[in-house]
Amino acid sequence: MPLNLLKTYPQFLELGHLNEHQRSQSLQGIFNRDIEGNLGLNFRTKTIRPIKGEEPAMVILFRHLTTEEIEIEDENGKKYPKRIFEMDRSQRLHWVRHHLEEKKKDNVEVFSVEERDQKKRKDIIRTYIYDVEQKYIIVLDPQRTQLDYYLVTAYHLNKDYGEKKIKKLLKRRLPELH
């Protein structure tokens, strides 16, 4: 587990051989070092903050960075969302800080786009950091004050629709970064 603290971009964290508890401990160590305990975490001078919700903000953010949402159907046929562990996101957890600090300059697209938030049922502006080479995306929401960003999630574009969606968003990119 401590070996994962030594991993750097573009290496993957080693999680496959760990049980669920060990995996959680290892990922939490990376998260604490790079995000929760990193009071100076910024993107282009704007402070990175976790999204807010019904649970502590850092709990929500950790979940978004290490799990994916799937749709489950219960025995009555009712569908509901559930978050489950996702290996591709988790193996790349330490990439978040690397990209926010813009240590990689080549083959990275940074852009803002106006899009529809289906849960909030309104149009919002989102900022994306897209590592074209590694097919990795970080999603930021600018705060209303435009002084800081909320870190929404980050994930590997491992789904068939993922890269197509990002390319469509790139075509609609706003002229300035928000």
Side-chain angles (χ1 to χ4, degrees):
M1 288 187 307
L3 179 64
N4 280 334
L5 288 169
L6 302 174
K7 297 287 185 177
T8 58
Y9 174 91
Q11 297 171 316
F12 295 139
L13 299 178
E14 294 179 23
L15 303 170
H17 67 286
L18 303 176
N19 66 38
E20 187 176 345
H21 177 71
Q22 292 169 327
R23 183 178 67 213
S24 181
Q25 277 187 314
S26 184
L27 289 170
Q28 194 67 54
I30 300 294
F31 181 79
N32 291 344
R33 179 197 67 196
D34 290 355
I35 297 167
E36 187 171 14
N38 185 355
L39 301 178
L41 188 61
N42 292 305
F43 178 66
R44 297 192 177 176
T45 71
K46 294 183 181 184
T47 301
I48 299 298
R49 304 197 182 281
I51 54 175
K52 297 177 181 173
E54 295 176 10
E55 296 177 86
M58 288 297 178
V59 171
I60 295 170
L61 181 55
F62 180 73
R63 186 177 312 120
H64 277 254
L65 294 174
T66 58
T67 66
E68 69 177 328
E69 188 174 288
I70 61 168
E71 195 171 83
I72 300 291
E73 188 173 327
D74 66 16
E75 57 276 348
N76 299 324
K78 183 180 177 188
K79 295 181 180 180
Y80 61 94
K82 180 181 180 181
R83 294 200 75 89
I84 61 167
F85 173 76
E86 203 224 351
M87 183 64 81
D88 285 336
R89 287 180 192 223
S90 297
Q91 287 178 320
R92 294 165 174 81
L93 180 60
H94 60 301
W95 291 14
V96 174
R97 180 178 179 181
H98 179 87
H99 284 86
L100 290 174
E101 292 176 349
E102 295 189 282
K103 291 183 178 175
K104 181 179 181 188
K105 306 282 187 209
D106 298 332
N107 291 319
V108 175
E109 294 281 347
V110 178
F111 64 97
S112 294
V113 65
E114 187 172 359
E115 60 185 324
R116 189 79 177 161
D117 185 321
Q118 300 301 330
K119 291 181 182 178
K120 295 179 183 176
R121 294 188 178 136
K122 67 177 186 174
D123 291 335
I124 60 169
I125 293 178
R126 285 224 153 114
T127 298
Y128 291 88
I129 303 168
Y130 174 38
D131 183 332
V132 179
E133 183 181 8
Q134 295 291 337
K135 295 180 173 59
Y136 185 70
I137 195 95
I138 297 174
V139 183
L140 304 170
D141 278 355
Q143 283 188 331
R144 275 183 240 131
T145 63
Q146 299 293 311
L147 299 176
D148 297 332
Y149 284 115
Y150 291 113
L151 175 53
V152 178
T153 194
Y155 54 93
H156 180 246
L157 297 173
N158 58 356
K159 309 290 187 215
D160 293 336
Y161 62 87
E163 210 167 354
K164 282 184 185 178
K165 178 186 173 191
I166 297 304
K167 288 183 179 180
K168 283 182 183 179
L169 291 176
L170 272 166
K171 289 179 184 175
R172 296 187 3 244
R173 74 189 313 158
L174 297 172
E176 59 195 48
L177 196 63
H178 287 260

